[in-house]
Amino acid sequence: MAATIKDIAKKTGLGLATISSYLNGGNVREQNRIKIEEAIKELHYEVNEVARGLKTNRTKLIGIIIPELNNIFCAEIITEVEDILRGYGYATMICDCRTDVSREIEAVEFLKKRRVDGVIVMPSGNTGKHFEKLIRNHIPVVLLDRSLSDIHCDCVLVENRSGARQAVEKLIGAGHKKIGIITGPKEIYTAKERLAGYMEALREAGLPVEEELIACNEYTIKAGMKSLQILAEKNPDMSAVFVANYELTMGVVIEANELGMNIPEQLSVIGFDNVEFAKACVPKLDIVTQPVKEIAKEAAKLMLERLEAYSDMEDRAVVKLETGFVEGKSVNRR
């Protein structure tokens, strides 16, 4: 028969309240902590998480909703967030919504029914109305990478606009005037911000913003391939391209090889994310990088703070992190 909290009390001579406080993360005297831990080890006591959850109204579960599980950026963030939350006694429940808002709505319902304590989400669409039911039920929501104007909750963002602007400025500084951009759907926050940074850099340099040099597509390898093919056909004088996403960057490199376009002799390229992939390319790619560990750390920190004192933190917290840049050999001076 499994040991109970009463068995620990009998073994240690301590009151049930003291033992319960220890098991629920409360402070107890050092000598009592040692007694309890020795008794737990000797009795092979295991906490009944289901029963504790019913009593405390906490499940120690955090839901994570992402657009694509096979997206390396998403996967890296999940890994980091899980490691941090595990250190505080939380487990995670991951929902991959395949960049489908209807699946995202289903995931919200699923996690709500599983009584998660909080939800960390990288939104797939441009609305957050379906997250309101979580917030109304005092389930904190933290947005990752994308901001939604119709929902009031915490979010962790990257300075996408300035990162894109700096990348395009590098191309302009190398003498390029016909610079294309391949980015994501215009309604997605990250794509919108990166496109804005591209436009700002051109305008500040006195260069025209030409629609035929802009390709907005899904964040996929195939979309990157197709986008480069279209831009190259429409703009035979295009000498450089900024690719504002990792999957799109992979697609561009593949398609450039297919088209026989030498990088950087015929086409200078600045990509986005994944240092390992950039190093594997020949030549090594110049890329904009995102601070994945810092994004995960800030998201976990906000979530833990909300769980500690949700009612005392009514203001929306917005954390913005700077992008980085890794030099390669994929930009040619004209």
Side-chain angles (χ1 to χ4, degrees):
M1 185 175 176
T4 67
I5 189 172
K6 290 182 179 179
D7 294 323
I8 297 175
K10 185 177 180 181
K11 185 75 177 175
T12 60
L14 299 172
L16 292 175
T18 300
I19 298 166
S20 178
S21 176
Y22 168 83
L23 294 174
N24 287 295
N27 293 320
V28 298
R29 292 180 181 176
E30 180 65 14
Q31 61 189 37
N32 291 339
R33 180 188 67 78
I34 293 170
K35 285 182 181 180
I36 294 168
E37 289 179 356
E38 288 177 348
I40 287 173
K41 187 176 181 180
E42 187 176 335
L43 296 169
H44 303 289
Y45 174 81
E46 292 184 5
V47 177
N48 186 329
E49 294 290 355
V50 174
R52 183 164 73 174
L54 291 171
K55 186 176 180 180
T56 64
N57 201 30
R58 289 286 182 90
T59 60
K60 303 294 281 187
L61 274 175
I62 303 297
I64 300 179
I65 305 175
I66 55 168
E68 294 285 349
L69 188 57
N70 62 359
N71 179 297
I72 192 165
F73 177 65
C74 295
E76 287 179 352
I77 287 180
I78 289 171
T79 300
E80 293 293 336
V81 168
E82 275 193 314
D83 285 346
I84 296 167
L85 293 177
R86 190 183 299 115
Y88 288 85
Y90 287 91
T92 55
M93 189 174 288
I94 300 164
C95 298
D96 178 357
C97 65
R98 318 286 172 82
T99 318
D100 184 336
V101 176
S102 63
R103 283 177 178 263
E104 187 174 275
I105 294 170
E106 290 172 3
V108 169
E109 288 296 326
F110 171 80
L111 294 172
K112 184 172 176 289
K113 288 176 182 176
R114 293 303 182 278
R115 300 178 61 248
V116 295
D117 293 337
V119 174
I120 296 173
V121 58
M122 188 180 295
S124 291
N126 57 359
T127 179
K129 288 292 184 183
H130 46 292
F131 297 117
E132 287 182 350
K133 61 184 67 178
L134 296 174
I135 296 170
R136 284 198 302 268
N137 282 278
H138 298 286
I139 299 172
V141 175
V142 177
L143 302 181
L144 281 177
D145 197 45
R146 299 169 189 179
S147 178
L148 298 173
S149 60
D150 61 350
I151 183 172
H152 189 79
C153 63
D154 300 330
C155 59
V156 181
L157 305 173
V158 173
E159 293 284 5
N160 290 283
R161 185 177 299 209
S162 63
R165 186 177 64 246
Q166 289 166 16
V168 178
E169 285 173 349
K170 180 179 175 64
L171 293 170
I172 294 170
H176 296 276
K177 290 181 170 49
K178 286 286 185 176
I179 303 168
I181 181 173
I182 298 173
T183 188
K186 286 184 177 179
E187 67 273 11
I188 298 294
Y189 173 81
T190 50
K192 193 187 309 181
E193 286 293 292
R194 292 166 194 172
L195 179 58
Y198 162 84
M199 291 179 172
E200 284 178 6
L202 292 179
R203 286 169 179 152
E204 286 173 12
L207 297 173
V209 175
E210 302 177 47
E211 284 297 323
E212 289 199 343
L213 284 167
I214 298 172
C216 298
N217 217 322
E218 296 177 350
Y219 281 140
T220 66
I221 294 172
K222 286 185 178 179
M225 295 172 66
K226 186 65 177 176
S227 295
L228 179 61
Q229 184 183 45
I230 292 171
L231 286 184
E233 288 175 357
K234 288 183 177 179
N235 307 279
D237 55 347
M238 180 179 71
S239 63
V241 64
F242 168 55
V243 194
N245 166 266
Y246 165 59
E247 282 79 12
L248 292 173
T249 300
M250 285 188 69
V252 164
V253 172
I254 292 169
E255 187 62 20
N257 288 334
E258 290 290 318
L259 295 173
M261 297 176 70
N262 291 325
I263 299 173
E265 291 81 7
Q266 291 174 275
L267 182 70
S268 289
V269 177
I270 294 182
F272 213 92
D273 268 342
N274 199 322
V275 175
E276 288 75 18
F277 172 72
K279 289 179 180 178
C281 291
V282 179
K284 176 184 173 184
L285 288 183
D286 290 72
I287 57 166
V288 177
T289 61
Q290 299 189 86
V292 175
K293 289 188 177 182
E294 287 79 3
I295 293 170
K297 180 180 177 182
E298 292 295 337
K301 179 183 175 184
L302 286 172
M303 178 55 66
L304 291 168
E305 287 175 351
R306 290 296 189 195
L307 292 171
E308 284 296 316
Y310 187 81
S311 60
D312 296 329
M313 298 175 65
E314 295 180 357
D315 293 334
R316 175 176 179 249
V318 179
V319 178
K320 287 192 174 184
L321 302 170
E322 295 291 334
T323 58
F325 194 88
V326 175
E327 296 281 348
K329 297 181 179 180
S330 60
V331 175
N332 203 23
R333 181 164 290 277
R334 292 178 65 83

